[in-house]
Amino acid sequence: MEPDDRPVPSAELDDRRDGRDETRNERADRNWEELLQELRVMQTGTQILTGFLLAVAFTPRFEDMDEFQRDVYVVLVGLAAVATILALAPVGMHRALFGRRRKPELVRVAARIVKIDLVAIAALTIGVTTLIIDFTVDRAAGLIALVSSFAGVLLLWLVLPRLVRREAERGGADDET
């Protein structure tokens, strides 16, 4: 019998009250798969925004940007690079740790990196929206876009999940899925 094929002693079974009987490694495998799905979505969005930003520099209207807009543009290109690097970091870590039985640690660190990447992607998205509106309409509209985008991110990425979590903790949410 291979070491990984041995029966799992009950002490190694997960004791969380979520209805799952998972070992630490089974939970890590499941959480890694969920993280990969999140990373796929994040990478696609980041690639689209990065591609847009890189293409902007080669358009004739790029020269029409004022100094503030060019400064914002350069910051956004940097943010796009950071977001891309962060989104790829868990994959690189997985490759470096592959076969070393470190998946629970990998998942813990990767989850933190994903949270940091979400902040970078939020800033990038807010910034791109602000830059486009500022350039195509005017500075006042750009500031309105900045505030609106920031509020949208706060509401959808922070407030809504907390409300859902609070509702679930109260027992008011029946799982229909």
Side-chain angles (χ1 to χ4, degrees):
M1 191 180 284
E2 294 291 319
D4 292 332
D5 293 337
R6 291 176 296 187
V8 178
S10 61
E12 289 184 34
L13 289 177
D14 185 24
D15 63 353
R16 294 185 186 188
R17 291 182 288 166
D18 63 1
R20 295 185 172 111
D21 280 333
E22 298 175 310
T23 65
R24 180 174 184 245
N25 287 332
E26 288 169 337
R27 181 175 294 276
D29 287 340
R30 181 176 53 80
N31 287 338
W32 177 248
E33 290 300 320
E34 290 180 18
L35 273 170
L36 284 179
Q37 289 296 82
E38 292 171 7
L39 285 167
R40 285 181 184 108
V41 171
M42 292 167 63
Q43 286 173 346
T44 301
T46 302
Q47 287 171 342
I48 291 168
L49 286 174
T50 302
F52 163 76
L53 286 170
L54 295 176
V56 165
F58 299 102
T59 64
R61 293 210 49 207
F62 185 75
E63 295 298 321
D64 294 341
M65 286 184 164
D66 64 28
E67 185 178 352
F68 172 77
Q69 292 165 337
R70 278 192 299 278
D71 290 345
V72 169
Y73 173 81
V74 170
V75 169
L76 292 173
V77 170
L79 264 174
V82 167
T84 300
I85 291 167
L86 286 169
L88 294 173
V91 176
M93 287 179 51
H94 179 266
R95 190 57 15 223
L97 297 173
F98 186 76
R100 297 179 188 237
R101 300 175 188 246
R102 309 302 328 152
K103 193 170 282 176
E105 294 85 356
L106 170 66
V107 169
R108 188 180 75 254
V109 173
R112 289 182 184 149
I113 291 171
V114 166
K115 286 179 183 178
I116 295 166
D117 196 22
L118 280 171
V119 172
I121 291 170
L124 179 60
T125 304
I126 292 166
V128 167
T129 303
T130 301
L131 179 62
I132 291 169
I133 301 300
D134 184 273
F135 182 74
T136 59
V137 182
D138 62 23
R139 186 75 22 98
L143 290 173
I144 291 169
L146 171 72
V147 171
S148 300
S149 299
F150 186 75
V153 167
L154 284 179
L155 286 172
L156 294 172
W157 293 13
L158 295 176
V159 174
L160 183 60
R162 286 184 185 186
L163 292 174
V164 169
R165 191 177 324 126
R166 186 179 305 146
E167 180 73 19
E169 288 171 357
R170 283 191 223 155
D174 293 329
D175 282 342
E176 294 179 17
T177 56

